[in-house]
Amino acid sequence: MSDEEKRPRKSGGGTRLGLGALSGVLAGIAALAVAELVAAGVRPQAGPVVAVGGAAIDRTPGTVKDWAIRTFGTADKLVLQLGILTVLALFALALGALALRHRRIGAAGVLVFGLAGATAATSRPDSTSPADALPSLVGAVVAAVLLHALIGRLLPPRHHLRGSPQPAGEGWDRRGFVIAATAAAAASAGAGVLGRALNGAGGQDAIASRGNTDLPAPASPAPAVPRAAQVRVRGTSSFITANKDFYRVDTALVVPRVNATAWRLRIHGTGVRRPLTLSFDDLLRRELIERDITLTCVSNEVGGPYVGNARWIGVRLAALLAECGVRPPSRGGPADQLVARSVDGMTIGSPVEDVMDGRDALLAVGMNGEPLPFDHGFPVRMVVPGLYGYVSACKWITDIELTTFDAYDSYWVKRDWAREAPVKTQSRIDTPKPFARPKTGTVMVAGVAWAQHRGIDKVEVRVDDGPWAEAALAAEDSRDTWRQWSYPWQATKGGHTLTVRATDRTGEIQTEARTRTVPDGASGWHSVVVTVE
Ligand SMILES: Nc1nc2c(c(=O)[nH]1)N[C@H]1C(S)=C(S)[C@@H](COP(=O)(O)O)O[C@H]1N2
Ligand SMILES: [Mo]
């Protein structure tokens, strides 16, 4: 006799269908809770939502990733995970309803999801062990058994069916279902909370290693930031961006917590005559330099927030490469691309020529006076003045391979972004804010402009379609940092559009031509519309 025949058809079907769907959802929640708990014993990144999310991010074309960053900003990862949970919930409802008619098929469906999660987890680039499959598999098995059991309570016992169909709402174990469902929900909540706590408590060794890191004084300190580098106009960016305010853009759903004492960096590849493996202490014992460098994301829209300026401490990458026998292409070296690889499998390719041309390309260990925050790449990341982050600023770096652009496409290059991406000259109005309503009289217009490694020589402001007027430039810190500017505007009543443009030290005026961020960064002028009262 099939489950189909067991189902009483007269009435009460609506309630039972609802309870079947509820069983599916309870099974889904149990799967995730158990997976979370098991992941605590494996590694947090092996959980199904993180693994499937990571796989989804990797399969996202540049344009969609860009849209996500544009629309959701730094909440993009949260939105992705909520999206995955929503899809899972819909399938859970459907599987629960299906299980009511076909109990075995419903339970088997749950296992299929487990297999998908396990496959995603073991095929992540940072997966090193088949154990990464366990959270999804164990979660799915528990969920399948639970679904089978719950649905069992909704079916009438076989012997009842021998006679006539059951009256509405009868013939199934109402009390048994309520007890089983409640117990399952409570157990899931317990497992989930415990798993969360254990996962959150992980990485203690990494936290301790960061806490124990004493950054040596740099042999080449950065000069103090000139006081006059900061425009004193309310609403202007802080010249140095505090670590807590520094934008974060990466693909990591779980921020890697790397234990610095176990960390190693390997330098190898084409034209590396003396390959090298360094420990964190090896790096700290080398000559350290301190530099102010402004970092920009290629996904930053004109006027956008993905730009920040920090004081970095690190080792000169060019010196390290030279020690390994690496020569830039201009001096006959065979490798034109340096591929940095992170512990979570990100690959970032930079031109060897740029890294070795004398600019302060860093293997950074410090950010604004402290070891790198975990979010920003502890223990070591790259920073190269003048290049967008996706072609230079590898966080949680663990491997540097010298190769060619012909031989290898890095992560974002495989996803529609340009191979080479020097930062475009840009300027931004920080104040007044869009749609502000200032009073007539002098209104201070102020903001930032950047053309890292070239430097900013001029900033101009235009009111409506009027002539360009030169803004006052704040003192320059270095040509690798942004530069602030201000302009006292004699504001007259009514609606006005303020526009800014910068000129870099090569004499190039920031172009008016609007481009999208894909493939190599947005261009165009930033404008702000205000109403003067
Ligand atoms: N490992 C890793 N490094 C990474 C990324 C990443 O996704 N993973 N994103 C890059 C991008 S696109 C940018 S703009 C910078 C951002 O650095 P921040 O998050 O410290 O501001 O990091 C770069 N380094
Ligand atoms: Mo970026």
Side-chain angles (χ1 to χ4, degrees), residues 285-307:
R285 274 195 293 267
R286 296 180 63 93
E287 185 181 298
L288 297 178
I289 66 173
E290 182 184 51
R291 295 292 182 266
D292 298 338
I293 299 167
T294 297
L295 185 61
T296 317
C297 181
V298 72
S299 294
N300 194 45
E301 299 278 320
V302 172
Y306 303 126
V307 52

Side-chain angles (χ1 to χ4, degrees), residues 111-135:
L111 293 178
V112 170
F113 274 84
L115 278 180
T119 308
T122 48
S123 50
R124 300 302 302 138
D126 56 340
S127 172
T128 50
S129 157
D132 284 350
L134 284 178

Side-chain angles (χ1 to χ4, degrees), residues 77-147:
K77 296 183 184 71
L78 181 63
V79 171
L80 172 71
Q81 297 191 67
L82 288 176
I84 291 173
L85 290 178
T86 306
V87 172
L88 273 182
L90 292 176
F91 274 105
L93 286 167
L95 277 178
L98 173 74
L100 212 48
R101 281 166 167 273
H102 309 285
R103 186 144 71 127
R104 296 242 166 81
I105 297 180
V110 175
L111 293 178
V112 170
F113 274 84
L115 278 180
T119 308
T122 48
S123 50
R124 300 302 302 138
D126 56 340
S127 172
T128 50
S129 157
D132 284 350
L134 284 178
S136 296
L137 292 184
V138 177
V141 168
V142 170
V145 170
L146 176 63
L147 182 61

Side-chain angles (χ1 to χ4, degrees), residues 203-375:
Q204 290 304 329
D205 52 342
I207 293 169
S209 76
R210 183 173 183 277
N212 293 334
T213 300
D214 247 332
L215 292 181
S220 165
V225 174
R227 279 178 61 81
Q230 175 74 57
V231 162
R232 310 271 159 202
V233 175
R234 190 195 296 272
T236 312
S237 306
S238 165
F239 182 77
I240 294 280
T241 314
N243 290 352
K244 67 172 175 34
D245 300 328
F246 209 95
Y247 80 91
R248 175 185 160 208
V249 170
D250 57 55
T251 58
L253 285 173
V254 173
V255 174
R257 286 191 172 166
V258 180
N259 179 350
T261 49
W263 176 87
R264 294 289 181 277
L265 173 68
R266 188 170 158 237
I267 303 178
H268 62 110
T270 310
V272 183
R273 276 177 287 179
R274 291 174 292 279
L276 195 63
T277 301
L278 290 159
S279 70
F280 192 51
D281 278 339
D282 291 339
L283 263 194
L284 294 186
R285 274 195 293 267
R286 296 180 63 93
E287 185 181 298
L288 297 178
I289 66 173
E290 182 184 51
R291 295 292 182 266
D292 298 338
I293 299 167
T294 297
L295 185 61
T296 317
C297 181
V298 72
S299 294
N300 194 45
E301 299 278 320
V302 172
Y306 303 126
V307 52
N309 182 42
R311 175 157 283 205
W312 310 91
I313 291 178
V315 167
R316 253 198 198 94
L317 183 53
L320 207 53
L321 293 173
E323 267 181 42
C324 298
V326 175
R327 282 169 297 134
S330 62
R331 283 192 276 127
D336 61 0
Q337 181 177 212
L338 179 156
V339 175
R341 198 171 266 104
S342 72
V343 297
D344 62 337
M346 171 56 60
T347 55
I348 288 188
S350 321
V352 176
E353 198 63 53
D354 291 352
V355 170
M356 297 189 80
D357 72 356
R359 73 183 76 193
D360 294 318
L362 297 181
L363 278 175
V365 293
M367 182 179 186
N368 291 331
E370 55 173 307
L372 293 177
F374 287 109
D375 279 0

Side-chain angles (χ1 to χ4, degrees), residues 2 15 27 33 151 162 182 233 248 303 310 342 355 382 495 497:
S2 76
T15 313
I151 295 295
R162 295 270 150 75
T182 310
V233 175
R248 175 185 160 208
S342 72
V355 170
M382 266 176 63
T497 303

Side-chain angles (χ1 to χ4, degrees), residues 19 22-23 26 146 149-151 153-154 172-188:
L19 293 178
L22 173 68
S23 303
L26 286 174
L146 176 63
L150 288 176
I151 295 295
R153 303 284 182 283
L154 296 175
W172 55 275
D173 184 3
R174 186 185 293 266
R175 204 176 109 84
F177 179 83
V178 172
I179 290 173
T182 310
S188 297

